[in-house]
Amino acid sequence: MADEPILEPELPIIDPHHHLWDMRQRFGPDAPPPRHGFDVLLRRSPHYLLDQLLADLGAGHDVRATVFVECGVMYRADASAALAPVGETEFVNGVAAMSASGLYGEARACAGIVGHANLTLGDAVAPVLEAHLAAGGGRFRGIRQSARHDPDPAVLGPLGGMPAGLYRSPAFRAGFAHLAALGLSFDAWLLEPQLPDLIDLASAFPETTIILDHLGTPLGIGAYAGQRVARFEVWRDHIQALAERPNVVCKVGGLAMPFLGFPSFMAEPPATSAVLAQEWRPYVETAIAAFGAGRCMFESNFPVDAGTCDYATLWNAFKRLTSGASADEKAALFHDTARRTYRLEI
């Protein structure tokens, strides 16, 4: 990966979006060859646990705390399908307790936890949410249920297969209605053409905090190859409409994933932070202009974004993109919005 000096090493950071996983069992001798960028990066980072996270947190930036976001690992093997995801919260809370001991450094890994629940269970999801809260040791903050879908299987590759229109379905909304009463937020991952579904959801539930993951995942591969520039205005209009809903917060990141088709993905040699800042600038600046720094937070999305750059380079790119921002704007984007949104006591 690119080896470059740390920019603004004194700037406090909360990383509000990373994963922990162990997927080595997926890549045995009978595993099919990779056919999508996501397959390739999973093979490059088949496990990302506390040791790997700590190495990234110690790369030179002043990362004070992190938020774990669900990725379907460590589910309970002996539980019902509804309660199985609580195992992930139990696992991550154990990692958080290790970090909180102080034996692994000053950064507080997984100070907030976002888990998964199948909200299409409707009212039956209530005991699942309560089980997450009980398992989270005071760290559980919200639910993520992805709605990612595209009719072209080449867009999502191994992450495809989900139905269209999840966030508009009555069953999903019946379960979603339980979040606000329990003080839980909702992380939304969907693709740019689906953003109208989230706009409608945010309007229907103004009392629930919704966090848009990965800038709404603009597209530039599969059926959208060669259309990234042309579709930018469509994405921009949807982002501006979403920003009109005051209950929505935007995670600024995820642009190192394969979905945009940027030349930097899996580039050899790896792209520098200056190159990444140039690629990402239109999306980052548009989102911040729409939501304001107080409703935006930079995210690492590691180890997923490691397909493009290392952890140090990613945060350097964000710092380059905010070189002209005020001290208050930088504080919001890198630390304060995440702390407030996920109610972190650090």
Side-chain angles (χ1 to χ4, degrees):
M1 290 294 182
D3 184 14
E4 54 187 53
I6 301 297
L7 303 178
E8 299 182 80
E10 73 288 348
L11 182 62
I13 294 171
I14 292 175
D15 181 352
H17 195 113
H18 72 85
H19 308 293
L20 297 171
W21 65 40
D22 190 339
M23 299 187 181
R24 286 171 287 192
Q25 73 277 9
R26 292 182 54 168
F27 305 119
D30 297 326
R35 299 184 180 183
H36 186 275
F38 220 89
D39 291 307
V40 176
L41 68 87
L42 285 177
R43 288 173 184 266
R44 286 180 55 168
S45 300
H47 65 283
Y48 191 79
L49 299 169
L50 181 57
D51 286 350
Q52 290 76 33
L53 176 61
L54 290 174
D56 284 335
L57 298 184
H61 294 282
D62 187 14
V63 183
R64 304 285 179 86
T66 75
V67 176
F68 168 89
V69 178
E70 65 86 27
C71 54
V73 299
M74 307 299 179
Y75 280 18
R76 291 176 177 175
D78 57 354
S80 65
L83 286 170
V86 178
E88 184 173 55
T89 296
E90 293 171 324
F91 157 64
V92 176
N93 189 50
V95 173
M98 293 172 66
S99 178
S101 73
L103 294 174
Y104 301 89
E106 295 183 4
R108 294 296 176 254
C110 309
I113 300 171
V114 176
H116 174 78
N118 179 8
L119 296 178
T120 65
L121 293 170
D123 291 343
V125 82
V128 179
L129 302 178
E130 292 163 359
H132 274 299
L133 284 163
R139 300 180 176 95
F140 194 78
R141 294 294 181 264
I143 292 295
R144 179 168 83 157
Q145 185 169 6
S146 171
R148 62 185 187 269
H149 171 83
D150 195 86
D152 179 6
V155 172
L156 283 163
L159 299 177
M162 297 187 66
L166 175 66
Y167 290 169
R168 291 183 183 269
S169 76
F172 171 86
R173 293 191 173 195
F176 189 94
H178 287 265
L179 297 179
L182 293 172
L184 297 174
S185 59
F186 182 75
D187 268 68
W189 183 28
L190 72 176
L191 308 182
E192 169 261 305
Q194 300 175 278
L195 282 171
D197 292 356
L198 188 62
I199 295 167
D200 189 78
L201 181 70
S203 298
F205 293 91
E207 73 284 1
T208 303
T209 297
I210 295 175
I211 299 109
L212 173 66
D213 290 351
H214 316 325
L215 289 165
T217 316
L219 297 175
I221 62 172
Y224 307 91
Q227 300 181 38
R228 186 174 63 242
V229 174
R231 291 197 66 85
F232 178 84
E233 292 185 2
V234 177
W235 170 84
R236 180 201 62 203
D237 291 347
H238 289 155
I239 287 293
Q240 291 173 345
L242 197 57
E244 293 174 1
R245 279 68 183 172
N247 55 320
V248 180
V249 180
C250 183
K251 280 183 179 171
V252 180
L255 298 174
M257 293 192 291
F259 303 114
L260 282 95
F262 280 136
S264 58
F265 181 71
M266 295 289 182
E268 291 295 343
T272 66
S273 62
V275 169
L276 296 178
Q278 182 178 10
E279 283 185 345
W280 301 348
R281 186 175 299 278
Y283 297 94
V284 171
E285 291 185 344
T286 297
I288 295 173
F291 282 91
R295 290 166 60 205
C296 285
M297 49 183 150
F298 288 125
E299 56 164 334
S300 78
N301 192 35
F302 256 59
V304 179
D305 282 27
T308 289
C309 62
D310 61 23
Y311 198 80
T313 302
L314 179 138
W315 289 105
N316 269 357
F318 290 147
K319 289 176 178 179
R320 289 185 184 277
L321 285 163
T322 54
S323 61
S326 70
D328 287 345
E329 289 169 332
K330 289 183 181 181
L333 291 164
F334 286 93
H335 184 278
D336 293 353
T337 301
R339 181 176 60 182
R340 184 185 69 252
T341 301
Y342 287 114
R343 296 168 285 124
L344 303 181
E345 297 177 0
I346 58 168

